[in-house]
């Protein structure tokens, strides 16, 4: 049997980073097992539907390189992959369960449901669910006669279909992450399967589709664990084999105290969505990881290790390595603390690895005014170990784009003196004999020139840096000379002498 997994988001808003991780684990598991990764849009709850959310989900996955084999945009033999386009499929299964006595019609109005809860609360009952006990006091096919039910349905009275949960039975299943899970059905309620408008609820649509789409493994967030016993019961009632289950650990706030929420992320000042998101309802604008400068490969590597670890010390994994190493057994049970510093670290590591040309292209994308600057790849080279995000290069490398206008005062005080000035001027003269120099050539000229009268380098270097960059520290100085070129170096030295003396 070939592995088929699905990521089944509801388009109720932006995709949270936890959702991206769920999609990623499904994707890695599918690829690892030569299986199929499916994107299924669970949009049966029209009251929570958000315009643009589906497109956002697809764009986010594409940015992270998580490409579905089957889904709303790519199609596939088991589609359509949008539940709203499958609405006619589900009710027949609800009716089948009704016919077999495993589900029943219920006519209770919301006032009646409220009244039931109030009554129970008043009587001191803690569990006020619609369940094996309370169902017998309600307005449903189990308490009404066949004829009464018939009349109600024929007269068009609204009804829902509820599952008839066993009264006191252990429901057990093996979760690939948490091991055996056992829940007594007495703690579970008779969930609605089919709503009064004929639409299925999440539970019904979800398991029907998992069955019809031949899903072999359900890999999803821990928040769905409480629904799993109901789903297992539904599979059993319908006579279907349940897929294997794997519930992923929660993403926690950096301090480990509670779930990582949008609010927590906002407060701590880091993104929680993969891409920019403009909430059409609240009008709120949120910046994504992408727009914050994260490279997709770094983001994916970071995310992969948030709740999973292949063991060992290695932290940087290529996409192929992740696929190769991925297994459900190595997913942690404990919640994963979200550490934005770690995300930055990953970005830095990946930034070092990408080519100078690629960085140059991204710089132009970010700063169109840099277009046409042939030095960008070299500039990128000189800065890429010094920044976390490409965007920071514009400031970190400011002196490449403009002559310094201010000079680090402390450095001037400490290192700018007559000897330094004399040597700088002499060096500029030596250097000007060349059209251009490589960093190592510049270094030879510099050291040989100073060696003539045994001036220690440390007496001149800081002043040289000051005059070229205005700063006290920065990238390799000889590389800066290579990039600026002899003429510009000479000009900047002359300028500094004029201004600082
Ligand atoms: N539609 C559910 C969600 O929004 C899917 C849960 C599941 O994977 O079963 O996450």
């Amino acid at each position: 049997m070939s592995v088929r997994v699905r990521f089944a988001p509801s388009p109720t808003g932006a995709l949270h980073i936890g959702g991206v991780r769920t999609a990623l684990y499904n994707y890695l598991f599918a690829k690892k097992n030569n299986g199929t990764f499916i994107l299924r849009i669970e949009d049966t709850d029209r009251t929570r539907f958000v315009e643009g959310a589906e497109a956002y989900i697809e764009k986010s996955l594409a940015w992270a390189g998580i490409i579905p084999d089957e889904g709303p945009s790519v199609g596939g033999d088991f589609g359509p992959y949008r539940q709203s386009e499958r609405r006619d499929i589900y009710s027949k299964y609800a009716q089948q369960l009704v016919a077999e006595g495993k589900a029943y019609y219920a006519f209770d109005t919301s006032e009646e449901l409220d009244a039931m809860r109030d009554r129970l609360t008043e009587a001191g009952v803690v569990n006020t669910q619609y369940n094996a006990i309370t169902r017998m006091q309600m307005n449903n096919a189990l308490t009404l006669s066949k004829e009464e039910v018939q009349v109600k349905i024929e007269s068009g009275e609204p009804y829902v279909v509820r599952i008839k949960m066993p009264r006191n039975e252990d429901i057990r299943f093996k979760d690939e992450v948490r091991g055996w899970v056992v829940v007594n059905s007495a703690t579970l309620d008779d969930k609605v399967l089919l709503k009064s408008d004929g639409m299925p609820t999440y539970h019904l649509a979800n398991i029907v589709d998992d069955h019809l789409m031949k899903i072999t493994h359900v890999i999803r967030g821990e928040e769905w664990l409480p629904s799993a016993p109901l789903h297992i019961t539904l599979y059993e009632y319908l006579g279907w084999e349940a897929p294997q289950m794997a519930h992923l650990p929660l993403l926690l706030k950096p301090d480990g105290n509670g779930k990582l929420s949008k609010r927590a992320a906002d407060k701590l000042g880091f993104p929680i969505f993969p891409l920019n998101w403009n909430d059409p309802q609240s009008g709120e604008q949120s910046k994504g990881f992408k727009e914050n400068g994260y490279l997709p490969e770094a983001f994916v590597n970071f995310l992969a290790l948030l709740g999973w670890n292949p063991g060992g010390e290695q932290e940087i994994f290529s996409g192929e390595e992740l696929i190769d190493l991925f297994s459900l057994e190595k997913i942690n049970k404990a919640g994963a603390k979200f550490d934005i510093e770690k995300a930055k670290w990953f970005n830095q590591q990946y930034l070092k690895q990408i080519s100078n040309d690629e960085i140059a292209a991204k710089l132009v994308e970010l700063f169109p005014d840099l277009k046409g600057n042939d030095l960008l790849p070299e500039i990128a080279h000189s800065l890429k170990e010094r920044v976390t995000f490409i965007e920071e290069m514009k400031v970190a490398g400011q002196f490449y784009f403009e002559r310094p206008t201010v000079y680090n005062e402390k450095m001037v005080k400490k290192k700018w003196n007559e000897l330094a000035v004399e040597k700088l001027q002499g060096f500029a003269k030596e250097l000007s004999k060349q059209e251009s120099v490589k960093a190592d050539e510049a270094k030879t000229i510099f050291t040989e020139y100073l060696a003539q009268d045994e001036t220690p380098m440390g007496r001149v270097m800081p002043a040289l840096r000051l005059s070229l960059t205005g700063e006290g520290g920065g990238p390799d100085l000889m590389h800066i000379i290579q990039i600026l070129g002899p003429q510009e170096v000479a000009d900047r030295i002359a300028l500094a002498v004029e201004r600082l003396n």
Side-chain angles (χ1 to χ4, degrees):
M1 194 168 57
S2 70
V3 162
R4 290 176 59 81
V5 292
R6 84 305 192 271
F7 176 53
S10 299
T12 56
L15 185 59
H16 182 281
I17 181 165
V20 187
R21 186 196 58 174
T22 300
L24 175 64
Y25 285 13
N26 274 282
Y27 172 82
L28 295 175
F29 185 71
K31 297 298 139 189
K32 161 83 188 196
N33 294 289
N34 294 316
T36 306
F37 169 62
I38 296 152
L39 175 64
R40 184 174 75 219
I41 302 296
E42 301 208 322
D43 57 350
T44 54
D45 188 352
R46 303 311 281 182
T47 59
R48 297 184 60 217
F49 180 83
V50 170
E51 200 62 50
E54 181 185 324
Y56 179 87
I57 291 166
E58 291 209 315
K59 269 209 316 232
S60 301
L61 295 182
W63 175 66
I66 305 170
I67 311 294
D69 301 304
E70 297 174 18
S73 320
V74 271
D77 292 342
F78 297 84
Y81 293 91
R82 221 176 258 123
Q83 287 185 329
S84 59
E85 291 166 18
R86 300 168 65 77
R87 64 181 86 202
D88 302 334
I89 296 176
Y90 310 108
S91 69
K92 110 170 168 224
Y93 296 99
Q95 301 306 344
Q96 178 191 327
L97 292 176
V98 170
E100 292 172 357
K102 296 165 180 163
Y104 56 92
Y105 297 127
F107 302 94
D108 316 275
T109 61
S110 51
E111 291 77 28
E112 285 168 335
L113 291 170
D114 288 345
M116 183 252 291
R117 280 183 216 114
D118 291 348
R119 207 165 53 235
L120 289 171
T121 310
E122 238 161 72
V125 178
V126 187
N127 187 349
T128 62
Q129 290 179 328
Y130 202 116
N131 60 18
I133 296 171
T134 54
R135 69 166 79 114
M136 295 318 288
Q137 298 145 32
M138 302 303 289
N139 194 2
N140 58 47
L142 302 172
T143 57
L144 300 165
S145 72
K146 242 192 174 138
E147 292 71 36
E148 285 172 309
V149 171
Q150 195 70 24
V151 169
K152 279 180 184 289
I153 289 182
E154 270 161 23
S155 70
E157 203 173 299
Y159 66 86
V160 300
V161 174
R162 285 182 183 272
I163 186 171
K164 192 174 167 196
M165 288 300 280
R167 174 153 182 183
N168 179 16
E169 254 173 45
D170 279 345
I171 301 166
R172 51 180 68 232
F173 64 96
K174 189 167 176 250
D175 187 271
E176 300 294 316
V177 176
R178 352 204 110 238
W180 283 99
V181 177
V182 186
V183 176
N184 191 280
S185 64
T187 64
L188 304 171
D189 60 338
D190 288 354
K191 281 264 178 323
V192 173
L193 302 178
L194 205 64
K195 293 183 271 190
S196 55
D197 60 1
M199 281 290 253
T201 56
Y202 151 71
H203 302 291
L204 180 65
N206 185 267
I207 71 118
V208 166
D209 279 349
D210 281 350
H211 174 71
L212 296 179
M213 295 181 180
K214 298 199 182 337
I215 299 301
T216 56
H217 297 74
V218 166
I219 304 169
R220 63 184 172 192
E222 187 177 277
E223 63 272 29
W224 299 102
L225 190 60
S227 299
L230 166 66
H231 297 176
I232 296 290
T233 306
L234 273 171
Y235 280 108
E236 203 182 287
Y237 278 5
L238 287 161
W240 297 338
E241 198 189 323
Q244 310 225 41
M245 304 253 172
H247 288 90
L248 308 176
L250 290 177
L251 295 188
L252 303 176
K253 285 189 229 170
D255 63 4
N257 278 329
K259 239 166 84 167
L260 175 69
S261 59
K262 164 116 170 54
R263 203 183 319 153
D266 284 350
K267 222 170 119 192
L268 294 164
F270 57 77
I272 195 152
F273 299 144
L275 311 177
N276 277 356
W277 169 251
N278 297 338
D279 193 306
Q281 280 154 345
S282 67
E284 191 193 350
Q285 306 197 343
S286 312
K287 211 167 165 192
F289 275 86
K290 177 184 177 208
E291 293 80 3
N292 268 279
Y294 287 86
L295 301 163
E297 299 81 5
F299 175 73
V300 163
N301 193 155
F302 163 69
L303 218 50
L305 294 179
L306 223 51
W308 169 82
N309 200 302
E313 299 287 295
Q314 188 180 344
E315 289 189 281
I316 303 291
F317 297 97
S318 68
E320 257 153 53
E321 285 175 307
L322 288 177
I323 291 170
D324 193 45
L325 291 165
F326 192 78
S327 76
L328 297 178
E329 293 85 69
K330 294 282 166 76
I331 294 174
N332 307 326
K333 276 197 198 63
K337 277 189 219 165
F338 185 90
D339 179 3
I340 196 67
E341 293 312 317
K342 195 76 204 189
K344 289 183 187 164
W345 179 83
F346 273 107
N347 209 62
Q348 215 165 20
Q349 301 305 308
Y350 275 81
L351 188 53
K352 283 187 212 165
Q353 288 176 21
I354 55 177
S355 77
N356 301 329
D357 287 337
E358 212 174 313
I359 298 177
K362 290 198 183 189
L363 272 171
V364 172
E365 231 172 80
L366 286 166
F367 307 105
D369 58 308
L370 294 183
K371 204 173 161 173
N373 187 333
D374 299 339
L375 299 173
L376 283 184
E378 272 309 317
I379 293 175
H381 180 62
S382 108
L383 295 171
K384 71 183 178 185
E385 305 244 348
R386 312 188 63 85
V387 296
T388 303
F389 300 108
I390 292 177
E391 192 174 13
E392 293 168 350
M393 289 184 175
K394 181 85 188 276
V395 172
Q398 182 67 29
F399 57 85
Y400 283 125
F401 310 116
E402 285 162 32
R403 291 178 171 174
T405 48
V406 286
Y407 299 84
N408 182 310
E409 240 171 83
K410 238 166 105 191
M411 271 320 232
V412 172
K413 262 204 193 109
K414 255 168 68 185
K415 302 287 181 184
W416 192 264
N417 50 47
E418 233 170 89
L419 173 74
V421 169
E422 180 200 325
K423 292 297 157 194
L424 284 184
Q425 286 170 325
F427 171 59
K429 218 166 160 191
E430 286 300 311
L431 198 66
S432 300
K433 294 178 184 161
Q434 318 286 327
E435 279 279 305
S436 67
V437 285
K438 290 274 175 216
D440 53 349
E441 292 163 353
K443 184 158 187 198
T444 312
I445 296 172
F446 187 60
T447 37
E448 278 176 4
Y449 170 68
L450 293 186
Q452 287 173 10
D453 62 354
E454 288 170 22
T455 308
M457 272 215 266
R459 301 284 297 274
V460 191
M461 277 283 234
L464 179 56
R465 184 181 290 282
L466 259 182
S467 42
L468 300 188
T469 70
E471 288 158 22
D476 180 70
L477 193 51
M478 298 304 146
H479 197 196
I480 294 176
I481 294 175
Q482 170 184 328
I483 293 173
L484 295 178
Q487 190 53 54
E488 179 66 15
V489 168
D491 289 351
R492 288 191 186 195
I493 287 174
L495 201 64
V497 172
E498 189 188 308
R499 283 176 181 161
L500 295 175
N501 279 358

